[in-house]
Amino acid sequence: MAIRIAIAVLSALVLALLVIYLVNESYASQFEYQNMEKWEKRFYTQNFDPEQKKIFLIGSSHTEKSDTIFIEKSLMEQSYDYEVYNLAYMGSQPATRVSSIDLIIQTKPDLVVYGLEFLSFWPHPLSGSSQSLETVKQNTESLLPEPKELFSNVTQDWESNFIDFENFKNPKLTTLKIIDVIRGEHKFQYQGGKHPFGPYGPDRVMTYEELQKNVEEFPFLHFVDNDSKHIDAMKKMIKKFQENNIPVIIFTTPHHELYLKTISEQDKKNYFLIIDSLVKEFGIKHYDFHDRYSDLETWANGDHIAGISIGSMAYSEDIVEIIIKEINQ
Amino acid sequence: MLFNSLDFVIFFSIVLAVIVIIKNRSFQHLWLLGASYFFFYYTSNYLVSLLIISTLLDFYVGKAIWKTNDIKHKKILLTISLAGNLGLLGFFKYADFSISQFNLLGNYFGFNEIPFLNLALPIGISFYTFQTISYTVDIYRGKLTPSKTLKEFALFVTFFPQLVAGPIVRASTFLPQLREKMDSINTTGKLRQIILQNSNLKFGITLMAFGFFKKMFFADNIAPLVNDIFASPIGSESFTIILGAIGFGVQIYSDFSGYSDIAIGAALVMGFKFPLNFNKPYFAISPSDFWRRWHISLSSWLRDYLYIPLGGSKKSNNRTYFNLATVMFLGGLWHGASWNFVVWGMLHGSYLVIHRFLKQKFPILSNNYFFKTWPGKIFSIFITQYLVFLAWITFRVENFDHLVYSVEKYVILDFQTTKTLEVIIDHKLEIIILILFFVLHFISYKKIELKDKISNLRLPYWFLFLLGTIIVILLFYDGNPIDFVYFKF
């Protein structure tokens, strides 16, 4: 009987894991950035009007918060007829974006405005390469060997060698999206439009107190060595744009003052050294917005301006300004 | 090691497997002892040394108290044990808090600030310290014979299911279970062989499944709502604060009683019966009834080792009120080195005092027929829980300004709903889970034997219960095991 009970428990565990794995495998691949490759292909291969001039805004979620409708309208008011597409998406870094460079070039944009940030050339915090302050603290506090570390090394080995846990890491996210789909509040399908890869809409503005808490919880307080693959990818993209006569300008995305305080002066200096080298090597323009709206009450969190807020309007106005400067050259 | 982690599942499976395979009594106990130390070491690293110190101190002091017939000598030995245990607890848990309070006063008088010690808080110290204190006190009182071997006593202190966050198990409950004659304290002294019995196995696993469900489905999924409300409550409407208080009440209950269920279930799988730690506290009809249902092992410990020695209710009314207030004040402080817990304890102390005062002054109230009817019971539950959830605000808020604002909004309703509706819309899932909690809490209140009934299901149905529970837990698991709230106590 005890063996039958043990088998029942084990079977329930294995079967439950299998169900969750299958649910995640079936649905997770259809969500947002996880299926970005497919979505990018759909966007870039659509039939664009060859007569219509186009501007592409590229970058991560920090670039996402500029309003294409506002930018188009402002350009039109000054007699510049451009379609503006915000192609930013969460977690985009040069090494991931470079895979779609040929598709971008095929669509022949008239200008590329590329948003970069302090994390652009570092291993992405969500990839788990950087360490949280808590982890760093814990590690330094241990006087005896840590069996916990040994265990996590073993599970990481399994993960990298045998099983792909990627879609299994946050089953709740998948469940919530499935619920949203059932309730008709979320579409799996690619949406298209001017913000094809990330929705643009109103976000709640955090109070200063909330921002303090939010910034304290950042998982990436401790930067590690910068990652040359991102710098190489950025160089490759700029070079390809220039070879195809597509003008490109870069800018540093804005952050709140509390967030900026979490980045060491040395890390900031390193970032700007990379930017300077890009500017010098390719003769492109760089605009620095990193602390421009840092004291405004307009932040959805420490490093994202709230959508449809005074900050996102100011941000969009500044982007209009740098676009016009570039067009007039 | 968190119960709600893959680490624990593997650890527990290995511990059980070895017990089943190697049926040697002595080895089994050594194995359990080693596993328990490893369990603690896994989380606390070198702080395992404190556990060893506490174990050695009380084992030898306990023996010495038993051996001597001199009352004076007994008292000195008991004082050594209390000073050692409370000294460790006080030093590691309250030193920095005391320094911060001293510095606050010192600033006023112009003294130099004392630097903080920045000590790491040893996990579970409040729990195992209370267990070892009860051991020496019971020997002093002549209610318990000391452990025969250090191995036996060490296993009582370190037994991994209850080591980190209780329930606080008494030696008089645990030691006989380790020995051959389980029903009597007067045992032969031989350690019994651990055999996994079918009924224990099934009921233990059912309890563990309930515990995991409470912790990982209810507590962890309600936490975002509570965190959102109490991150910056200033400016919130009354109904938002009430929602936050109810949310936190449910979160902490699901978290802590979930831990207790897993602990009691894990122990039962190995054949050890631990007492109930929670008994539907949100259906309590008075403050004293609440404390008979909430963290029962702590409240009964405080009753037996603090309230009764202080005189309990045997002396004057005023003395009884003082005893109640003192016990609850210290009970609050036991939870942690923060004024939050002190205020929480004092609030509960005042509830108990006022309740007792009203009962004595107006006996007609407690004997009133209305309170024996259903509407009367609902009324009593409502009033009691209103006060309990008010106290939870003091437990949860992060600073004094938040406390004053939140309590004011909770007590004096502003009848605004705009922002509350926004919070509800932003946290639809959490609200649904909150409602589901109360529905299930009510069902378990009405069907007292629910866990028994489930564990007695035929194997295929029981398997379906397990499968369904695990699937629901995993469907709403966000991949980050969250610490149990009571770990930090």
Side-chain angles (χ1 to χ4, degrees), chain B residues 21 60 116 121 138 158 183 254 273 279 282 378 404:
Chain B
I21 294 164
Y60 289 108
F116 287 109
L121 177 69
D138 281 354
T158 60
D183 298 331
S254 305
K273 287 177 182 159
N279 184 20
Y282 294 142
I378 291 170
V404 172

Side-chain angles (χ1 to χ4, degrees), chain B residues 312-323:
Chain B
S313 55
K314 302 279 180 220
K315 296 186 177 174
S316 68
N317 280 343
N318 284 345
R319 181 58 193 257
T320 305
Y321 301 150
F322 171 79
N323 292 345

Side-chain angles (χ1 to χ4, degrees), chain B residues 140-323:
Chain B
Y140 172 82
R141 287 173 175 171
K143 287 184 175 175
L144 182 74
T145 51
S147 252
K148 290 201 167 49
T149 63
L150 181 59
K151 180 172 72 177
E152 185 188 58
F153 179 68
L155 190 52
F156 155 64
V157 180
T158 60
F159 188 51
F160 71 86
Q162 43 79 42
L163 174 61
V164 172
I168 301 165
V169 180
R170 314 272 179 93
S172 54
T173 308
F174 188 83
L175 292 178
Q177 298 190 45
L178 264 184
R179 299 175 193 164
E180 278 193 335
K181 287 183 183 170
M182 287 181 61
D183 298 331
S184 163
I185 296 176
N186 300 316
T187 67
T188 61
K190 283 184 185 171
L191 297 179
R192 72 183 180 88
Q193 186 181 316
I194 297 167
I195 298 166
L196 271 58
Q197 290 172 340
N198 294 336
S199 56
N200 286 344
L201 194 59
K202 226 171 151 198
F203 190 65
I205 292 168
T206 306
L207 263 181
M208 289 176 83
F210 267 83
F212 282 119
F213 192 74
K214 281 181 186 172
K215 164 64 181 163
M216 293 173 77
F217 180 72
F218 285 119
D220 292 354
N221 282 301
I222 288 169
L225 167 74
V226 178
N227 295 344
D228 213 11
I229 292 174
F230 287 112
S232 56
I234 291 175
S236 300
E237 295 164 353
S238 288
F239 293 126
T240 309
I241 298 294
I242 291 171
L243 184 63
I246 294 172
F248 181 64
V250 172
Q251 184 198 347
I252 197 165
Y253 167 74
S254 305
D255 191 288
F256 193 21
S257 76
Y259 181 93
S260 293
D261 284 348
I262 300 169
I264 295 169
L268 190 61
V269 166
M270 293 180 277
F272 294 91
K273 287 177 182 159
F274 285 177
L276 192 70
N277 212 18
F278 290 88
N279 184 20
K280 287 108 197 169
Y282 294 142
F283 285 100
I285 52 169
S286 69
S288 52
D289 187 31
F290 177 79
W291 282 102
R292 282 192 291 272
R293 294 166 176 269
W294 178 272
H295 202 175
I296 299 165
S297 64
L298 174 71
S299 48
S300 60
W301 193 99
L302 291 171
R303 181 196 63 212
D304 294 345
Y305 299 100
L306 200 58
Y307 180 67
I308 291 173
L310 281 171
S313 55
K314 302 279 180 220
K315 296 186 177 174
S316 68
N317 280 343
N318 284 345
R319 181 58 193 257
T320 305
Y321 301 150
F322 171 79
N323 292 345

Side-chain angles (χ1 to χ4, degrees), chain B residues 28-240:
Chain B
Q28 280 182 333
H29 292 90
L30 268 178
W31 168 249
L32 262 188
L33 184 62
S36 297
Y37 275 120
F38 176 80
F39 178 87
F40 194 76
Y41 169 66
Y42 194 84
T43 318
S44 300
N45 203 270
Y46 63 94
L47 293 170
V48 72
S49 54
L50 295 180
L51 188 63
I52 296 169
I53 292 169
S54 188
T55 306
L56 291 173
L57 173 78
D58 288 298
F59 176 70
Y60 289 108
V61 170
K63 267 192 160 205
I65 291 174
W66 182 254
K67 270 184 191 164
T68 181
N69 291 321
D70 181 358
I71 289 291
K72 214 173 175 184
H73 199 185
K74 274 182 190 280
K75 275 187 179 164
I76 291 169
L77 286 165
L78 181 66
T79 310
I80 291 170
S81 164
L82 291 176
N85 284 304
L86 295 175
L88 276 182
L89 181 65
F91 182 68
F92 280 93
K93 196 161 175 177
Y94 303 103
D96 277 341
F97 176 65
S98 309
I99 289 172
S100 71
Q101 302 311 305
F102 184 83
N103 285 344
L104 267 179
L105 263 180
N107 283 342
Y108 185 74
F109 292 108
F111 296 149
N112 287 336
E113 284 200 354
I114 302 173
F116 287 109
L117 301 175
N118 290 322
L119 297 166
L121 177 69
I123 288 173
I125 191 167
S126 309
F127 291 91
Y128 68 73
T129 303
F130 270 30
Q131 284 199 183
T132 51
I133 288 176
S134 75
Y135 172 79
T136 44
V137 172
D138 281 354
I139 293 173
Y140 172 82
R141 287 173 175 171
K143 287 184 175 175
L144 182 74
T145 51
S147 252
K148 290 201 167 49
T149 63
L150 181 59
K151 180 172 72 177
E152 185 188 58
F153 179 68
L155 190 52
F156 155 64
V157 180
T158 60
F159 188 51
F160 71 86
Q162 43 79 42
L163 174 61
V164 172
I168 301 165
V169 180
R170 314 272 179 93
S172 54
T173 308
F174 188 83
L175 292 178
Q177 298 190 45
L178 264 184
R179 299 175 193 164
E180 278 193 335
K181 287 183 183 170
M182 287 181 61
D183 298 331
S184 163
I185 296 176
N186 300 316
T187 67
T188 61
K190 283 184 185 171
L191 297 179
R192 72 183 180 88
Q193 186 181 316
I194 297 167
I195 298 166
L196 271 58
Q197 290 172 340
N198 294 336
S199 56
N200 286 344
L201 194 59
K202 226 171 151 198
F203 190 65
I205 292 168
T206 306
L207 263 181
M208 289 176 83
F210 267 83
F212 282 119
F213 192 74
K214 281 181 186 172
K215 164 64 181 163
M216 293 173 77
F217 180 72
F218 285 119
D220 292 354
N221 282 301
I222 288 169
L225 167 74
V226 178
N227 295 344
D228 213 11
I229 292 174
F230 287 112
S232 56
I234 291 175
S236 300
E237 295 164 353
S238 288
F239 293 126
T240 309

Side-chain angles (χ1 to χ4, degrees), chain A residues 1-2 8-9 11-12 15-17 20 141 143-148 151 169-172 175-176 209-210 213, chain B residues 7 10 41-42 45-46 198 201 205 221 231-232 398 402 429 459 463 467 470-471 474-479:
Chain A
M1 182 67 177
V9 174
S11 316
L15 205 58
L17 288 169
I20 301 298
E141 278 171 6
L143 297 181
L144 299 172
E146 282 281 0
K148 217 186 291 183
F151 182 78
K169 278 184 176 163
N170 190 347
K172 185 178 174 182
T175 308
L176 293 182
E209 215 174 14
E210 284 173 315
K213 211 168 164 53
Chain B
D7 316 20
I10 294 172
Y41 169 66
Y42 194 84
N45 203 270
Y46 63 94
N198 294 336
L201 194 59
I205 292 168
N221 282 301
S232 56
E398 289 168 10
H402 289 183
L429 176 75
L459 200 62
F463 164 77
L467 180 67
I470 300 170
I471 287 178
L474 290 179
L475 279 175
F476 290 90
Y477 175 59
D478 70 0

Side-chain angles (χ1 to χ4, degrees), chain A residues 300-328:
Chain A
N301 55 43
D303 58 338
H304 293 94
I305 283 182
I308 313 188
S309 65
I310 47 161
S312 69
M313 290 301 111
Y315 186 25
S316 305
E317 268 176 34
D318 285 333
I319 289 177
V320 170
E321 201 177 300
I322 62 173
I323 289 173
I324 292 174
K325 265 191 201 167
E326 186 63 26
I327 294 171
N328 286 340

